[in-house]
């Protein structure tokens, strides 16, 4: 995958980012762009581009930096996926999803009566999967990076060692984790300075233990995490805390390069993540369904439109639940069928444009997964593109970690189906492909995606948001490809989410008028309003004008999540006045 030199001569790079407190923004650039959830981390990626690094180099440096600046989701203790397309339009993916430990069993979350022990698969030491991030970044670098590994890790070491201004989002989290009832937890000490005081906004937050761990990774590469001192300390911490991950698990972990899922839409090519993510398959299935509809007669956001989009989602999520899991354990997954145009025709014919279908929980189910994940999109001056999503599962993952190592472990085991054969309309699923097994990867919803036009990267997109990721990425890609929306408009357009079960359309506040709501209900849909779906981060490349345009969602002031409004006020109150 060789890069191609472009004729772009102007040296303009852009870093854009949002934190949960900032408003959205559109940004343009000529020679490269990094969009992530933290401004300092995006700037770190841009500095790598300016040094001559390519999109992979910049994504790796940004990801390491997010471990420091955005510990709710940025990580070395979790896992994720990279979709990479070079300037020639050749795409590949890197899977660094967490794995179940060797000692995991498919009844590990059940009591003697065979019932699920509440919370054990989500918030306990047994919810921690074998982390994949360092192995994934290392593999990406070995195969496609250009600068030295040490140059890419060093900025994160510096940020952890020298500190960076504690922001309001971290301050808000610190308030939660330092409550009296959490006084013995890892997270209680996490946001404190050397004297044990909880950090205040704008104070420098130094993380010396994390800096040491990152320095070992910088110096020893992947082995700095999976072998030696760090592996030994993880093993020891697990033993002391009832966990089951061992040195052997860490030594055996491998990131894997996989063929992307490929689809087409009216001349565009779509490349996204294959299993163990369900994102690519579901995205392509839904795009194929939409290709069969006539949008000259179905108006954007009309009742027919919302119905059709919801029915497409219902079907893709039902198929996801029935068929998808770790490809190394499910050798017969019908990926070709699910992403084929013929299958879409059959599925499309089942849609009654006047009535909602009914999701049947006795046949299939759907998956658990958390809301806290983070995405970054990168394009470099040569037109190479990276779409990168990684996660700890919940916000701050398991909320556990070794104080000696300074990073947070994931709780990704919660993405497995916890109880074989038990599928409930509330969302618990029991289908076979995603049951727990030693060394198996749990199914994900992350949907890092790159669309090419005329054989070159055109749109780079992804989002956090648990199961909603698939649908927010789908609607954004669809808005760009079908309605030719600019990336900022496509991202800002209010969205819906249907995940087969629970059988309901979740819609962003203000999307549906009272009349549309009534009509959809009359068709048999159940509706639920929600303030916000997803946090998309995308880049498009205008090949004619030869510039990059980026946009990051969005905590739209009119639909901000509860609590965000007051934080916005604080953010936009000049710091001097708050002193
Ligand atoms: N834990 C979120 C996901 O992988 O989809």
């Amino acid at each position: 995958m060789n890069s191609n030199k472009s004729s772009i001569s102007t040296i303009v790079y852009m870093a854009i980012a949002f934190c949960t407190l900032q408003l959205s923004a559109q940004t343009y650039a000529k020679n490269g762009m990094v969009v992530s959830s933290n401004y300092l981390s995006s700037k770190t990626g841009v500095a790598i581009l300016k040094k001559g690094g390519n999109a992979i180099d910049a994504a790796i440096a940004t990801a390491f930096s997010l471990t420091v600046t955005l510990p709710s989701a940025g990580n070395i203790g979790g896992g994720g996926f990279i979709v990479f397309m070079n300037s020639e339009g050749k795409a590949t993916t890197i899977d660094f999803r967490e794995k179940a430990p060797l000692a995991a069993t498919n009844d590990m979350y059940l009591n003697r009566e065979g019932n699920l022990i509440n919370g054990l698969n989500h918030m306990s030491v047994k919810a921690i999967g074998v982390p994949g991030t360092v192995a994934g970044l290392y593999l990406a670098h070995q195969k496609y990076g250009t600068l030295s590994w040490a140059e890419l890790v060093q900025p994160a070491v510096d940020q952890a060692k020298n500190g960076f201004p504690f922001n309001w989002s971290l301050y808000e989290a610190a308030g939660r984790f330092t409550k009296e009832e959490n006084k013995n937890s890892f997270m209680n000490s996490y946001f404190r300075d050397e004297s044990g005081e909880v950090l205040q906004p704008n104070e420098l937050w130094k993380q010396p233990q994390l800096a040491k761990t990152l320095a070992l990774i910088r110096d020893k590469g992947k082995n700095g995490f999976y072998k030696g001192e760090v592996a030994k300390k993880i093993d020891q911490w697990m033993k002391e805390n009832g966990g089951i991950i061992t040195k052997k698990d860490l030594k055996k972990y491998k990131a894997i390069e996989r063929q992307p899922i490929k689809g087409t839409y009216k001349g565009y090519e779509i490349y996204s993540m294959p299993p163990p993510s369900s994102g690519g398959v579901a995205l392509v299935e839904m795009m194929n369904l939409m290709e069969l509809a006539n949008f000259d007669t179905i108006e954007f956001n009309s009742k027919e439109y919302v119905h059709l989009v919801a029915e497409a989602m219902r079907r893709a999520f039902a198929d996801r639940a029935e068929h998808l899991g770790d490809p190394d354990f499910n050798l017969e997954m019908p990926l070709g069928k699910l992403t084929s145009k013929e299958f879409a025709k059959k599925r499309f014919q089942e849609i009654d444009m006047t009535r909602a279908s009914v999701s049947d929980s006795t046949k299939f189910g759907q998956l658990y997964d958390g809301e806290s994940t983070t995405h970054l999109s990168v394009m470099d001056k040569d037109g190479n593109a990276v779409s990168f999503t990684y996660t700890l599962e919940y916000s701050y993952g398991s909320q556990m970690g070794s104080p000696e190592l300074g990073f947070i472990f994931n709780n990704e085991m919660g993405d497995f189906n916890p109880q074989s054969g038990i599928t409930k309309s509330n969302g618990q699923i029991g289908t076979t492909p995603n049951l727990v097994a030693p060394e198996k990867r749990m199914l994900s919803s992350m949907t890092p995606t790159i669309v090419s036009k005329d054989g070159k990267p055109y749109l780079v997109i992804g989002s956090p948001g648990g199961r909603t990721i698939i649908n927010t990425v789908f609607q954004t890609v669809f808005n760009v490809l079908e309605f030719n929306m600019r990336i900022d408009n496509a991202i800002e357009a209010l969205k819906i989410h249907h995940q087969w079960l629970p059988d309901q359309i979740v819609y962003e506040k203000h999307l549906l008028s009272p009349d549309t709501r009534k009509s959809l209900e009359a068709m048999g849909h159940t509706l639920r309003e929600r303030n916000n779906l997803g946090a998309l981060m995308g880049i498009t490349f205008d090949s004619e004008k030869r510039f990059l345009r980026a946009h990051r969602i969005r905590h739209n002031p009119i639909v901000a999540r509860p609590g965000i409004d007051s934080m916005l006020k604080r953010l936009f109150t000049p710091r001097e006045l708050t002193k």
Side-chain angles (χ1 to χ4, degrees), residues 97 369-370 373 391 393 412 415 444-446 466 469:
R97 184 67 161 165
D369 43 24
T373 297
T391 186
E393 165 67 346
E412 217 73 55
D415 274 357
S444 170
S445 300
M446 291 186 276
I469 295 173

Side-chain angles (χ1 to χ4, degrees), residues 236-339:
Q236 191 183 328
W237 183 89
M238 288 285 163
K239 287 198 172 87
E240 285 165 10
N241 290 279
I244 56 173
I245 296 175
T246 63
K247 272 193 282 190
K248 193 167 173 199
D249 281 305
L250 294 162
K251 198 168 154 202
K252 285 192 86 182
Y253 185 86
K254 280 193 176 52
I256 300 172
E257 184 164 20
R258 298 187 192 274
Q259 287 290 315
I261 290 289
K262 186 180 164 195
T264 58
Y265 189 86
K266 298 189 180 173
Y268 295 93
E269 291 190 335
I270 301 164
Y271 294 85
S272 192
M273 202 59 216
S277 182
S278 56
V281 174
L283 170 66
V284 169
E285 187 177 338
M286 291 190 284
M287 291 299 289
N288 285 342
L289 277 167
M290 299 305 270
E291 205 174 34
L292 296 167
N294 179 358
F295 293 98
D296 293 335
T297 56
I298 302 175
E299 202 181 317
F300 186 66
N301 282 350
S302 62
K303 76 171 192 301
E304 292 82 8
Y305 182 86
V306 173
H307 172 71
L308 176 63
V309 170
E311 292 300 325
M313 290 172 176
R314 183 199 304 276
R315 282 156 180 76
F317 271 77
D319 293 332
R320 168 191 190 267
E322 186 177 7
H323 297 292
L324 303 185
D326 183 340
D328 299 337
F329 286 71
N330 297 282
L331 304 178
E332 307 280 308
M333 284 187 293
L335 304 185
K337 177 180 160 188
L338 294 176
T339 56

Side-chain angles (χ1 to χ4, degrees), residues 246-499:
T246 63
K247 272 193 282 190
K248 193 167 173 199
D249 281 305
L250 294 162
K251 198 168 154 202
K252 285 192 86 182
Y253 185 86
K254 280 193 176 52
I256 300 172
E257 184 164 20
R258 298 187 192 274
Q259 287 290 315
I261 290 289
K262 186 180 164 195
T264 58
Y265 189 86
K266 298 189 180 173
Y268 295 93
E269 291 190 335
I270 301 164
Y271 294 85
S272 192
M273 202 59 216
S277 182
S278 56
V281 174
L283 170 66
V284 169
E285 187 177 338
M286 291 190 284
M287 291 299 289
N288 285 342
L289 277 167
M290 299 305 270
E291 205 174 34
L292 296 167
N294 179 358
F295 293 98
D296 293 335
T297 56
I298 302 175
E299 202 181 317
F300 186 66
N301 282 350
S302 62
K303 76 171 192 301
E304 292 82 8
Y305 182 86
V306 173
H307 172 71
L308 176 63
V309 170
E311 292 300 325
M313 290 172 176
R314 183 199 304 276
R315 282 156 180 76
F317 271 77
D319 293 332
R320 168 191 190 267
E322 186 177 7
H323 297 292
L324 303 185
D326 183 340
D328 299 337
F329 286 71
N330 297 282
L331 304 178
E332 307 280 308
M333 284 187 293
L335 304 185
K337 177 180 160 188
L338 294 176
T339 56
S340 71
K341 303 284 183 196
E342 289 70 44
F343 183 67
K345 269 188 212 147
K346 181 177 162 292
R347 280 298 211 186
F348 191 77
Q349 279 161 7
E350 292 163 3
I351 298 175
D352 178 343
M353 282 305 285
T354 64
R355 283 300 303 165
S357 310
V358 175
S359 299
D360 182 350
S361 65
T362 62
K363 288 186 186 150
F364 315 107
Q366 99 286 321
L367 307 172
Y368 287 118
D369 43 24
E371 302 275 324
S372 197
T373 297
T374 193
H375 178 81
L376 59 108
S377 293
V378 183
M379 272 185 101
D380 64 26
K381 65 181 182 347
D382 297 326
N384 304 298
V386 170
S387 187
F388 180 121
T389 315
Y390 69 159
T391 186
L392 286 169
E393 165 67 346
Y394 283 2
S395 185
Y396 298 97
S398 63
Q399 303 176 7
M400 293 177 209
S402 158
E404 288 181 274
L405 296 172
F407 68 88
I408 300 170
F409 291 124
N410 67 83
N411 61 328
E412 217 73 55
M413 293 290 284
D415 274 357
F416 278 117
N417 299 348
Q419 203 175 5
S420 175
I422 307 289
T423 295
K424 298 180 182 169
S425 58
N426 71 358
Q428 184 177 325
I429 178 175
T431 51
T432 309
N434 191 38
L435 294 174
V436 182
E439 296 204 86
K440 193 172 180 181
R441 285 154 144 91
M442 56 295 281
L443 190 62
S444 170
S445 300
M446 291 186 276
T447 316
T449 298
I450 299 176
V451 176
S452 67
K453 186 174 162 186
D454 305 325
K456 309 267 183 214
Y458 167 60
L459 164 66
V460 188
I461 190 79
S463 178
R467 279 164 286 179
T468 71
I469 295 173
I470 301 173
N471 286 335
T472 57
V473 169
F474 156 56
Q475 287 165 97
T476 307
V477 170
F478 187 66
N479 289 346
V480 174
L481 305 196
E482 174 61 36
F483 300 114
N484 208 14
M485 283 189 204
R486 258 181 14 198
I487 184 69
D488 52 325
N489 295 330
I491 284 177
E492 289 299 329
L494 297 173
K495 299 191 169 60
I496 67 160
H497 171 68
H498 195 302
Q499 57 178 44

